Amino acid sequence: MRLDRSTCTSRLVEADFGVLGTVDAEWGVHLVPVVFVVVGDRLAIPIDVVKSKSTTSLRRKANVADDPRASLLVDHRSGDWERLWWVRADLQASTPGDVPWREVLAESYPPYRRPESILDVMAFDIVELTGWTAS
């Protein structure tokens, strides 16, 4: 059953993490699990030093610089298939604007309360929300 925009929005806002999809010109779709926050019709994903990385020059940033389209998928999985649902946010890269993303991220994720934990923020406009539920 298709979810309405209001339900999609509330499930997106309540999600702890999602999977970001960007387009790699050579390899096609590039998927990576991420944390994020939503403010209105905007969404931000941090580039941090909390989780270990081999580099902070991340493929997702390069992909978005080449093609500003992206998608974020959040879902609920369960052995009870009647409880399954997913929400996809189609995104367009944008500038951070006047939203205090670092503060919003720190409110949602305690590791980001240390100012040096976030190196950068990828900001997006939410272009479309779609969702589905089994029940």
Side-chain angles (χ1 to χ4, degrees):
M1 176 185 347
R2 187 176 186 146
L3 296 174
D4 63 33
R5 184 172 178 95
S6 174
T7 303
C8 287
T9 299
S10 65
R11 291 187 180 187
L12 179 67
V13 168
E14 293 170 8
D16 292 327
F17 69 93
V19 177
L20 177 69
T22 59
V23 179
D24 182 297
E26 184 177 344
W27 294 99
V29 177
H30 178 262
L31 301 172
V32 63
V34 296
V35 296
F36 63 93
V37 289
V38 176
V39 174
D41 284 336
R42 307 212 47 226
L43 182 146
I45 296 169
I47 305 299
D48 65 52
V49 293
V50 174
K51 300 169 294 298
S52 63
K53 298 169 187 54
S54 59
T55 179
T56 55
S57 179
L58 302 177
R59 170 62 34 206
R60 65 193 96 156
K61 287 181 67 176
N63 289 348
V64 168
D66 291 342
D67 184 336
R69 297 172 301 161
S71 290
L72 182 77
L73 179 72
V74 299
D75 67 345
H76 174 73
R77 301 168 195 183
S78 171
D80 177 359
W81 288 7
E82 290 299 312
R83 297 180 53 207
L84 301 176
W85 62 262
W86 60 261
V87 171
R88 184 183 67 228
D90 292 327
L91 309 170
Q92 179 78 24
S94 65
T95 61
D98 61 354
V99 177
W101 291 115
R102 291 171 192 265
E103 289 83 1
V104 176
L105 283 157
E107 289 174 18
S108 297
Y109 302 100
Y112 295 144
R113 292 184 182 145
R114 290 188 346 263
E116 69 278 4
S117 63
I118 299 174
L119 298 177
D120 197 6
V121 174
M122 297 177 68
F124 297 91
D125 294 325
I126 299 172
V127 176
E128 186 173 353
L129 285 174
T130 54
W132 173 89
T133 185
S135 57

